[in-house]
Amino acid sequence: LRAVCHLDRGICAEHNSHPVKMADREFDADELQSIWDGFGAYWEIKLGLVLVVVLLNLSFSRLLAQDKQNNYSSDSADPSSTKTVLLVTAHPDDEVMFFGPTLVNLQAYSSLHLLCLSSGNADGKGKARTQEVELAWARLGLQTAQLKVLEHPQLQDGFDQQWQAAIVAQAVQDYAQVRGITHLLSFDEGGASWHPNHIDTAAGVKLAATALRRPVMQLRTVGLWRKYLGWADLPLAACLEAEHLCVTTAAQRTTLRAAMACHQSQYVWYRRISVWLSRYMYINSFHVVDIAAEKQLGDS
């Protein structure tokens, strides 16, 4: 366009007879140059927007391609193959704040159970929080009969409380064996928020998975700078972690916010902000550890 403007400017200056006609309107060289200058003033912003659109398109293309091949395990994408999944959390509200996208996506073809290892009684609100998690679980459309909150003297809520992996593992095994659990779902070694109870939960669940010979899906912990990107973290997640990814729709996010509001005792101002900004309300990415396969490989 700039070359055309300069060329036409020269022609018009010399002959004053070569205007450009576009959409039944004639533009002389000065008008075209003005249009170009107006575009040039914002070209960096427009180029940035173009790049964002391209990246999002590539991300969604990869997401769709991966979704045809993978879900939360190698064979679980088949809706006819129902899995019984046990989510193991440390406190009431973890199930919504961190695992919401996974729950709303898996419930269509999985039987979901929740084992909450403590009542979150650090502030003396354990009884209220137990009732709140039941309300939230029901608000997600899940069965409260498939939910259990423990009150174990050695699994008490608190940053200063250390949970032994063996105790966590035994609690998970006891529940899983009675309910016929086929898959475990919990935190990874980062605990999503680096809470020590979350990290101890991850260690205990992996120990239980080894004993049960069950695959365990571990929620990936992301850095703080990504945690509060919300939906904007999707391009990075799609490029780096698309093999096992759950993404929410607008309707699903509305359900998750309603479920989080059920945790009234915890729904303070910063958590109200978090439900809009946290990427864990929009995206869950996780890796699957197939304990049985690893053990067979080790034995061989």
Side-chain angles (χ1 to χ4, degrees):
L1 179 59
R2 176 167 284 179
V4 170
C5 289
H6 285 303
L7 178 62
D8 280 349
R9 182 186 293 276
I11 293 173
C12 291
E14 184 176 352
H15 302 288
N16 197 30
S17 60
H18 290 78
V20 176
K21 187 173 183 179
M22 293 189 298
D24 296 325
R25 181 183 170 188
E26 292 185 347
F27 294 85
D28 61 24
D30 289 331
E31 288 178 304
L32 288 173
Q33 183 64 40
S34 176
I35 293 171
W36 169 258
D37 291 340
F39 174 81
Y42 301 100
W43 74 268
E44 296 96 338
I45 296 175
K46 293 181 178 181
L47 180 60
L49 290 174
V50 169
L51 290 175
V52 168
V53 170
V54 170
L55 183 57
L56 284 173
N57 273 285
L58 289 174
S59 300
F60 280 113
S61 296
R62 179 172 176 179
L63 260 178
L64 292 172
Q66 289 286 350
D67 189 55
K68 294 177 181 178
Q69 302 175 16
N70 301 287
N71 208 295
Y72 66 91
S73 71
S74 60
D75 61 348
S76 62
D78 179 8
S80 65
S81 180
T82 302
K83 305 300 177 184
T84 306
V85 180
L86 174 61
L87 168 61
V88 185
T89 62
H91 317 109
D93 75 13
D94 288 346
E95 78 288 346
V96 180
M97 282 204 303
F98 300 110
F99 297 93
T102 301
L103 294 178
V104 295
N105 279 286
L106 291 191
Q107 64 177 290
Y109 51 89
S110 299
S111 176
L112 294 173
H113 293 246
L114 172 62
L115 177 63
C116 188
L117 297 174
S118 81
S119 63
N121 198 40
D123 298 322
K125 298 178 180 178
K127 186 175 181 179
R129 296 189 69 180
T130 298
Q131 294 172 345
E132 289 168 356
V133 71
E134 292 174 354
L135 290 173
W137 195 250
R139 184 64 182 82
L140 291 171
L142 300 168
Q143 299 179 34
T144 54
Q146 296 180 177
L147 178 159
K148 184 175 183 179
V149 179
L150 298 184
E151 191 58 69
H152 193 290
Q154 291 181 281
L155 298 176
Q156 291 298 301
D157 176 22
F159 283 92
D160 60 342
Q161 299 293 317
Q162 184 176 6
W163 295 358
Q164 295 181 23
I167 295 175
V168 172
Q170 189 59 57
V172 174
Q173 287 175 243
D174 290 345
Y175 188 98
Q177 289 171 338
V178 171
R179 299 299 188 105
I181 300 300
T182 61
H183 290 70
L184 300 174
L185 170 64
S186 192
F187 300 102
D188 69 359
E189 63 277 1
S193 63
W194 302 103
H195 193 298
N197 297 163
H198 295 182
I199 294 170
D200 292 342
T201 297
V205 170
K206 191 168 183 180
L207 186 61
T210 302
L212 293 166
R213 298 175 69 89
R214 297 287 187 271
V216 56
M217 300 173 284
Q218 296 182 317
L219 179 69
R220 291 185 184 274
T221 301
V222 299
L224 188 63
W225 69 276
R226 285 183 62 188
K227 181 177 179 179
Y228 294 106
L229 284 177
W231 67 267
D233 189 50
L234 180 57
L236 279 173
C239 291
L240 300 176
E241 304 154 359
E243 185 178 358
H244 301 291
L245 194 66
C246 288
V247 181
T248 53
T249 64
Q252 288 172 333
R253 288 192 294 275
T254 298
T255 299
L256 290 179
R257 293 185 188 110
M260 188 60 205
C262 293
H263 292 282
Q264 193 60 44
S265 67
Q266 305 302 301
Y267 207 39
V268 293
W269 67 269
Y270 56 87
R271 287 199 176 94
R272 292 174 185 267
I273 296 174
S274 180
V275 298
W276 290 94
L277 297 181
S278 173
R279 65 98 69 178
Y280 293 112
M281 295 292 286
Y282 296 82
I283 308 161
N284 276 172
S285 49
F286 46 90
H287 53 277
V288 177
V289 181
D290 192 338
I291 301 295
E294 285 188 352
K295 193 167 184 179
Q296 287 178 357
L297 184 62
D299 293 342
S300 63

